[in-house]
Amino acid sequence: MEPKITPYKRHTASSISASTRERAEAAKAYIQGKYFKLKRQDSEKRECWDELYNKMNVMNLSEVEKQMIKQEILHKDAEQMRLRRKRMTVYDFESIAIIGKGAFGEVRVVRNKQTGEIQAMKKMIKSEMIKKNQVMHVRAERNVLSIAENPWIVELKYSFQDENSLYLVMEYLPGGDLMTILMKRDILPEDEARFYIAETILAVDSVHRLNYIHRDIKPDNVLIDRSGHVKLSDFGLCKHNQLIEESNSIKKMNDEEFKKISNKTGDFKRSRVLAFSTVGTPDYIAPEVFNKQGYNQTVDWWSIGVIFYEMVVGYPPFFADEPSITCQKILHWKKTLNIPREAGLSKDAIDLIRKLICDQTERLGCRGVDEIKNHAFFKGIDWERIRETRAPWVPKLNGETDTSNFDKFEETEPLYPQEVKKKRFKKDRNFIGYTFKKDEENQRLNLVNALQELEAVRKSGVRKSSAPVKYFQNKSDAY
């Protein structure tokens, strides 16, 4: 009797779990991004050196002068490299105040001991992130914040970790958030609401252009800077569009993720006292996120519509005392969406609400952000220069450490770990590649400044023996 041969079982795409596929895609995106950035930086650096040599030749510098300028640049590069190798730790910061607490950690206003700059530090407990399956969300948040300079996204300065915690150090925006304004004003006139919703649209579009979906657009996550303009924050539910498409292809959202969203407790949000507080509720989430039919970037435009409704009416359109009831109202929005006549909204405002809070196939923005920009409600908005205009409300601040636009929290756990002795910790494979330093992204700075200084010398007409060399040596801070 011949032995029975068991056929080799291949692992098909359908046999791989969604979480495994998500981790693989995230790893792939990280490696590709890292390689692309290094390749781009190397190419840009070579171009700068070529331009520098050409400029020195045009200025007829001697070989000695060229070598001195080159050595000065390399010296500055080496000094910066030494500083970059220094590992950032929580001990590099001084705590000023706690302005947010949540299930995973806290947010503090801190002072950078080296630079003196006032910054916001988000501290997250690793064990909680792993236990509640938040690792990919943490990675997505860090990746979005570190991609590129964006005036509409809160600026990331550093990200690092120790044995127990993850840290995101960002610019501090002392104006609070959009909820701060809504709590103070209750209802905004349409012209003021137009300003805030227009800037939020541009902020969301900037995220979409990075091929991400925010998935958690709400007033709490729209921060106000010291000039009164908005910036997006809290990318903890953000997801890369490629991963969204993977999820849509299998038309599936597991029960745990659904429960996580519908019972989301507003991580790192301030305490609320008003009746329409939104904490713990899914008020701003589009119905397609709940109905397991798949979704795309238009879920963020639904959220924009809900925020706009809250601005001009005074409360979210699907508000209920229980999150589960809010979910049901959202799923049956065709019956539950009501715009009260007593709100006295203009026809354009009503039309904008109805064209944002609707089916995703008909929603404004499904064919591009220009659909929203061109709506009659935004007539007169200068989309290109809106950030240069004066905001309706500019926060009055009492110094750079003013936290009056945030709630205060008592310290229950010190910023510094109990173990004072500094030690090397074992690398956590869940958070490999998490470290980021903003100044590392400016590797071309020394060359660029050298080119600018040479151009300044050339235009000034100064060309005496060793003049450019002396000029650079006297302007070492330019590097």
Side-chain angles (χ1 to χ4, degrees):
M1 184 176 179
E2 293 184 1
K4 185 177 179 181
I5 298 176
T6 303
Y8 174 72
K9 184 179 179 181
R10 297 184 64 186
H11 289 282
T12 62
S14 59
S15 68
I16 301 174
S17 68
S19 61
T20 300
R21 182 163 41 247
E22 188 176 79
R23 288 176 183 273
E25 288 293 343
K28 177 182 175 183
Y30 170 74
I31 293 170
Q32 288 178 335
K34 185 90 171 175
Y35 174 76
F36 174 78
K37 186 169 74 173
L38 290 172
K39 187 175 180 180
R40 183 196 65 204
Q41 288 175 346
D42 185 59
S43 175
E44 290 175 345
K45 197 166 186 177
R46 284 200 305 269
E47 290 176 3
C48 278
W49 275 111
D50 289 342
E51 187 178 350
L52 182 69
Y53 285 129
N54 289 335
K55 191 156 289 187
M56 289 191 293
N57 288 333
V58 169
M59 296 178 67
N60 294 321
L61 299 186
S62 68
E63 288 302 318
V64 173
E65 290 173 324
K66 290 177 184 178
Q67 284 300 315
M68 290 183 70
I69 292 174
K70 178 182 176 180
Q71 291 303 317
E72 180 71 13
I73 294 172
L74 293 176
H75 172 72
K76 294 292 182 182
D77 280 346
E79 181 67 17
Q80 286 186 350
M81 184 66 71
R82 184 187 66 79
L83 293 174
R84 284 199 294 269
R85 289 193 183 119
K86 179 182 178 295
R87 186 167 67 89
M88 185 71 66
T89 73
V90 69
Y91 296 98
D92 293 314
F93 302 90
E94 171 193 352
S95 178
I96 294 175
I98 302 175
I99 59 174
K101 276 185 177 289
F104 303 135
E106 64 185 19
V107 176
R108 293 176 183 250
V109 176
V110 298
R111 187 190 305 276
N112 186 316
K113 291 180 180 179
Q114 182 178 356
T115 66
E117 186 178 358
I118 303 302
Q119 297 165 333
M121 174 186 284
K122 184 174 181 178
K123 176 183 177 181
M124 296 161 282
I125 304 170
K126 280 184 179 180
S127 58
E128 290 297 314
M129 308 304 290
I130 295 171
K131 183 168 66 177
K132 297 182 180 179
N133 198 28
Q134 294 290 308
V135 173
M136 299 310 299
H137 292 155
V138 171
R139 279 192 151 297
E141 179 173 34
R142 180 264 184 210
N143 290 344
V144 171
L145 292 173
S146 64
I147 283 176
E149 290 188 12
N150 185 333
W152 299 108
I153 294 177
V154 62
E155 181 184 1
L156 178 66
K157 303 288 188 177
Y158 315 99
S159 63
F160 57 93
Q161 58 181 300
D162 56 30
E163 190 171 0
N164 300 313
S165 303
L166 300 172
Y167 302 88
L168 289 173
V169 180
M170 298 162 282
E171 63 176 321
Y172 173 52
L173 302 181
D177 54 40
L178 191 55
M179 183 60 80
T180 302
I181 296 175
L182 295 180
M183 290 173 69
K184 289 179 178 179
R185 301 289 302 280
D186 192 23
I187 296 175
L188 297 183
E190 286 189 16
D191 59 334
E192 293 187 18
R194 182 181 294 110
F195 170 86
Y196 290 112
I197 211 66
E199 287 211 332
T200 307
I201 286 167
L202 291 174
V204 170
D205 180 55
S206 74
V207 175
H208 290 178
R209 289 175 183 272
L210 297 174
N211 212 24
Y212 279 87
I213 305 174
H214 192 285
R215 300 202 304 171
D216 197 20
I217 300 295
K218 56 185 177 182
D220 313 64
N221 293 338
V222 180
L223 299 184
I224 308 298
D225 67 16
R226 60 179 56 253
S227 62
H229 293 271
V230 311
K231 289 195 176 191
L232 279 185
S233 71
D234 201 339
F235 293 82
L237 285 181
C238 190
K239 207 163 189 179
H240 196 273
N241 204 29
Q242 184 178 359
L243 300 182
I244 289 290
E245 290 168 1
E246 286 279 346
S247 299
N248 289 346
S249 67
I250 58 176
K251 305 286 187 182
K252 179 180 180 183
M253 172 188 280
N254 60 49
D255 292 336
E256 184 180 349
E257 187 173 359
F258 179 86
K259 183 179 179 181
K260 186 190 304 177
I261 295 177
S262 61
N263 292 322
K264 192 169 184 290
T265 56
D267 201 25
F268 301 114
K269 297 301 171 281
R270 302 185 290 123
S271 59
R272 302 295 185 205
V273 294
L274 298 189
F276 305 104
S277 65
T278 77
V279 168
T281 72
D283 280 283
Y284 307 93
I285 299 176
E288 57 265 31
V289 176
F290 294 124
N291 63 21
K292 305 184 182 183
Q293 295 301 309
Y295 56 92
N296 54 33
Q297 291 178 333
T298 61
V299 298
D300 288 341
W301 300 133
W302 168 285
S303 303
I304 290 287
V306 175
I307 293 175
F308 178 58
Y309 181 107
E310 184 173 4
M311 284 179 177
V312 295
V313 175
Y315 51 87
F318 307 108
F319 172 78
D321 291 329
E322 297 294 330
S324 59
I325 298 176
T326 299
C327 290
Q328 290 302 314
K329 283 187 173 184
I330 291 172
L331 287 169
H332 299 93
W333 64 269
K334 291 181 181 179
K335 294 181 179 179
T336 58
L337 178 61
N338 174 51
I339 302 175
R341 184 173 297 178
E342 57 269 25
L345 304 186
S346 67
K347 289 182 179 180
D348 288 339
I350 293 173
D351 186 67
L352 179 63
I353 290 172
R354 293 199 177 279
K355 287 183 176 176
L356 288 173
I357 306 178
C358 63
D359 285 324
Q360 61 176 323
T361 56
E362 301 174 2
R363 194 173 300 153
L364 277 184
C366 67
R367 285 169 289 274
V369 69
D370 286 342
E371 280 190 328
I372 308 176
K373 290 182 177 181
N374 293 331
H375 189 276
F377 180 76
F378 295 111
K379 184 178 180 180
I381 287 287
D382 187 345
W383 294 97
E384 298 297 324
R385 297 179 179 84
I386 189 171
R387 202 166 184 89
E388 300 170 13
T389 63
R390 182 176 174 80
W393 175 73
V394 177
K396 294 180 180 179
L397 304 172
N398 184 24
E400 60 179 358
T401 60
D402 191 324
T403 60
S404 59
N405 291 305
F406 294 89
D407 287 338
K408 304 297 186 297
F409 294 85
E410 294 295 325
E411 184 172 276
T412 56
E413 183 179 331
L415 174 62
Y416 305 132
Q418 293 292 333
E419 181 64 45
V420 178
K421 182 181 177 181
K422 297 182 181 179
K423 61 179 183 179
R424 294 184 65 86
F425 64 92
K426 187 178 180 181
K427 289 186 178 181
D428 191 330
R429 65 184 181 86
N430 290 295
F431 305 105
I432 292 174
Y434 189 78
T435 302
F436 171 85
K437 286 186 179 181
K438 185 68 176 179
D439 52 8
E440 286 188 17
E441 306 306 300
N442 298 323
Q443 293 183 359
R444 292 174 62 230
L445 189 59
N446 291 335
L447 274 168
V448 170
N449 282 336
L451 284 166
Q452 291 174 347
E453 298 295 343
L454 271 178
E455 184 64 18
V457 172
R458 187 184 67 81
K459 288 183 177 180
S460 69
V462 177
R463 182 61 192 98
K464 295 180 181 179
S465 178
S466 72
V469 175
K470 290 179 180 178
Y471 189 73
F472 279 108
Q473 290 173 338
N474 293 333
K475 297 274 291 183
S476 59
D477 60 321
Y479 296 102

